[in-house]
Amino acid sequence: MTRILIALILATSLLTGCGFHLRNKLSLPADLPAVKVESSAPYSELVKLLNRGLRASGATVVESDGSAGKDDAQYARLQVRSERWGDLPIAIDTQGRAQEYSLRYAVVFSFVRPDGSVIVPEQAVELSRDYVSPPEDATGTTTEREILADELRREMSASILRRIDSVVRAELEKQKNQPAPAPAPTH
């Protein structure tokens, strides 16, 4: 029992010493109202994952029905402008048949306040995973590709939320480091 306790204390001190820190909760602007995730595919898995991630960070999320309306002026909007998938052959056999592919997933997004001012400017994130698909035995290739696609969607959601977090944190740090305005002279 004491050996386990000593090992636990040693492991904890090593993790502390190496700079390991748990990831902080997503940081959003304090004055941000409810957030609406907008996409041309409002029921896509990425939209569901982004909504879930925003909720987990404490944001109030308004479900999108796919239509733009007059109420949109009261919500901050995470706009998923495009989602693109592609398979690129990266290895071929002696007969010229593709044996290995790179599954690519690219998303363009932006994040704006209700008044239209930009929090995170439009940017693209691209992720990829490689998989083997022997042409003479394609058993399981479709399932492997679907598993990789699900993994890429989860990673894409996390990547988008991290980018939002880093921009917001940088803005907060910038505001914190600015000198306070000088008081107006009184006469």
Side-chain angles (χ1 to χ4, degrees):
M1 182 68 179
T2 58
R3 288 184 184 187
I4 294 173
L5 184 59
I6 290 171
L8 185 61
I9 291 171
L10 181 61
T12 304
S13 64
L14 286 174
L15 283 176
T16 305
C18 75
F20 174 80
H21 300 291
L22 292 174
R23 186 178 302 274
N24 292 333
K25 197 164 115 175
L26 173 67
S27 180
L28 294 171
D31 62 342
L32 196 68
V35 178
K36 185 175 188 178
V37 179
E38 295 179 342
S39 173
S40 58
Y43 303 108
S44 78
E45 195 61 33
L46 178 63
V47 170
K48 292 175 189 175
L49 290 167
L50 288 168
N51 282 330
R52 188 178 309 140
L54 287 165
R55 271 193 205 92
S57 70
T60 303
V61 177
V62 176
E63 293 293 329
S64 178
D65 61 0
S67 62
K70 61 183 177 190
D71 293 341
D72 285 351
Q74 63 185 339
Y75 306 125
R77 295 179 314 282
L78 173 52
Q79 300 169 323
V80 178
R81 303 227 185 253
S82 72
E83 284 184 73
R84 298 204 190 273
W85 289 93
D87 281 309
L88 178 68
I90 56 175
I92 56 172
D93 64 8
T94 57
Q95 297 173 342
R97 299 178 297 185
Q99 286 196 348
E100 191 172 344
Y101 293 89
S102 179
L103 177 61
R104 299 189 175 278
Y105 183 36
V107 172
V108 177
F109 77 97
S110 65
F111 193 41
V112 296
R113 286 187 172 86
D115 64 4
S117 62
V118 176
I119 299 172
V120 178
E122 187 172 293
Q123 51 190 275
V125 179
E126 184 174 330
L127 302 172
S128 67
R129 291 289 174 276
D130 298 341
Y131 66 98
V132 176
S133 176
E136 64 277 350
D137 183 23
T139 306
T141 300
T142 304
T143 304
E144 182 180 359
R145 189 184 182 287
E146 289 172 6
I147 291 169
L148 288 175
D150 288 342
E151 179 183 317
L152 285 173
R153 280 188 201 96
R154 285 190 301 275
E155 287 183 31
M156 182 62 72
S157 171
S159 181
I160 289 171
L161 294 175
R162 277 193 307 271
R163 286 183 184 223
I164 291 169
D165 181 62
S166 67
V167 168
V168 169
R169 285 183 193 274
E171 185 64 32
L172 291 172
E173 193 64 32
K174 185 174 148 185
Q175 290 172 359
K176 194 169 32 172
N177 292 333
Q178 284 182 349
T186 57
H187 296 298

